[in-house]
Amino acid sequence: MLTVLFIFASCTHPKVPESYGEVGVKPKIYPDYTDVTIPVNIAPLCFELITPADAAVTRFTAGGRELTVEGRKCRPDADEWRSLLSHSVGTDIAVEVFAAKDGRWVRFSPFTLHVSPDSIDSYLCYRLISPSYVSYEELTINQRCLENFDERVVADNMLCSSESGGQCVNCHSFQRNNPARMQLHARQSFGGTVIAYDGELKKVNPGGAGNKLPAVYPAWHPTERLIAYSTNSTMQAFHTADIDKIEVYDSQSSLLLYDIDTDKLLTVDSQQDELETYPAWSPDGRWLYYCSAHFEYAGGSVDAEEITLRTRELKYNIWRRPFNSDTRSLGPRQLVFAADSLGVSAAHPRISPDGRWLLFSQSEYGTFHIWHRDADLWLIDLKDKDFAARPLSECNSPAADSYHCWSSTGRWIVFSSRRHDGVFTRPFFAHIDESGKGEKPFELPSADPDLHRQLLKSYNVPEFTCGSISLTPQQIAGVLKSGAE
């Protein structure tokens, strides 16, 4: 009998207090989900009440439906959450947080969650990496389902590491958010590029052998079995007095095109004294966008010490070149955004699926903006004849906001941000409407809302996918160890 009563009691919904005082301010919660726009298919937004309290109850209300959750850590039931969202499309969910201290209940001012009818891609792929500048081998590429909290490892760097040789897997990318069409790089031991295409899996080495530099940053052509790469000689230096402690830069870089079928490189005419990097295709495949900085070595040849001392001179502009699919050749370059004329530097151009918007990150100088606290997201209207640009102020913060990706519908973006502590990057999502207006971003939901205050790893290169990646860590390690084909 006692057992039956216990089960019955545990299945009843928490009740809000019958009497309470009003605080008059919104609750301080982590993550900050107050007044955000969310997709209809997002996982439960679990959050923790930061204000000290002996007990807490949260009530979600929309369309005559009510969901109540007990505890300072608010963790909505997954089924009830999905039901609430499905009945709230295009409207707001009112959220009330009640807290008790010393036997007295109070209610904070309600906030809202606007449920957008625009769904988000169901998966996010990223690299989890510790903030170490020497030992970086203990890292993985993971995929997380955004509709729940399921997470799995796609590539495990330690499977290819040994005492005698290091390893680093990085630079994963997809063709049109397709999880069956993926590539990733590996550096050092068993280095090369793994390409998965509709069940075919192979290791290649674009940019290697007859080329001076390896292929690094990729961009899949939207329809053809073709990948644009930048070849980069990447270096890093450490500041002793600057608040930004690390500088990552390229001493030389250029563009190349790689044909998956023929395993051949297509010639790309490089501009003299230009550091070309971060290629990105337009969604129709007719334009290749990229960043380039003009840099002339005093001695006429690459000098690592010289560019280290002159890194603040590196101002990257955004260019584009027309692509002829019949001849597979690129035409003359066209200037899109002259960042150097504003005394700043642009990186990571990414074009929305409708071809309207170009999203990029901007900082005072350089190209590795994740290490720059002043890095912000900017948006260019490609339908404007002058390519008008503006800061995406709705999403930016005082800390670094850098790497970013569009969802397949173009209504959502994900970007890396260090807004919480300036050290660890976390994925944030924001809705972008047809006019290019962004909404307040929200952090990747976790089953334990305190996860990201305890996780000593950064989320690196967040990329949307429309489904689950079928590859296993063992498959990727196996093809890396097999040698280039």
Side-chain angles (χ1 to χ4, degrees), residues 237-247 308 312 365:
F238 294 84
H239 298 296
T240 56
D242 198 297
I243 191 171
D244 294 324
K245 296 304 180 186
I246 304 175
E247 190 57 51
T308 299
R312 290 184 179 272
Y365 66 95

Side-chain angles (χ1 to χ4, degrees), residues 311-372:
T311 52
R312 290 184 179 272
E313 297 178 29
L314 295 175
K315 310 286 187 180
Y316 284 79
N317 296 324
I318 299 178
W319 299 81
R320 69 177 184 177
R321 300 177 66 171
F323 176 69
N324 187 316
S325 59
D326 294 329
T327 61
R328 290 205 163 186
S329 61
L330 294 170
R333 67 177 187 166
Q334 301 177 13
L335 183 62
V336 176
F337 181 66
D340 59 356
S341 66
L342 303 176
V344 294
S345 183
H348 301 300
R350 301 293 290 269
I351 298 85
S352 60
D354 62 2
R356 173 74 184 273
W357 308 103
L358 187 156
L359 186 65
F360 68 99
S361 63
Q362 179 174 290
S363 183
E364 180 186 352
Y365 66 95
T367 183
F368 221 76
H369 289 170
I370 191 63
W371 293 114
H372 293 182

Side-chain angles (χ1 to χ4, degrees), residues 148-214:
N148 52 49
F149 303 116
D150 293 345
E151 182 181 29
R152 62 177 291 266
V153 174
V154 175
D156 187 342
N157 192 61
M158 295 301 291
L159 293 178
C160 288
S161 293
S162 64
E163 292 183 4
S164 59
Q167 174 79 0
C168 176
V169 293
N170 56 78
C171 297
H172 53 276
S173 65
F174 306 86
Q175 185 183 51
R176 282 182 175 264
N177 306 57
N178 186 342
R181 299 176 180 181
M182 175 186 182
Q183 77 94 65
L184 62 87
H185 288 312
R187 292 198 300 259
Q188 297 174 266
S189 298
F190 308 114
T193 298
V194 174
I195 295 179
Y197 201 95
D198 294 347
E200 176 188 3
L201 183 64
K202 64 179 180 178
K203 177 182 175 182
V204 299
N205 192 18
N211 295 275
K212 295 180 180 180
L213 301 176

Side-chain angles (χ1 to χ4, degrees), residues 115 292 382 392 470:
V115 183
S292 185
L382 294 177
L392 195 62
S470 62

Side-chain angles (χ1 to χ4, degrees), residues 119-134:
S119 61
I120 201 167
D121 290 352
S122 52
Y123 288 85
L124 187 73
C125 187
Y126 44 83
R127 184 169 65 154
L128 280 181
I129 184 170
S130 301
S132 173
Y133 315 129
V134 179

Side-chain angles (χ1 to χ4, degrees), residues 30-31 33 44-48 73-75 144 149 443-455 459:
Y30 178 84
Y33 291 138
L45 298 190
C46 302
F47 61 82
E48 180 176 6
K73 285 189 176 183
C74 176
R75 299 173 174 173
R144 160 74 191 275
F149 303 116
E443 190 173 344
L444 173 70
S446 301
D448 182 352
D450 205 37
L451 173 66
H452 289 155
R453 294 198 293 184
Q454 301 182 34
L455 181 65
Y459 292 74

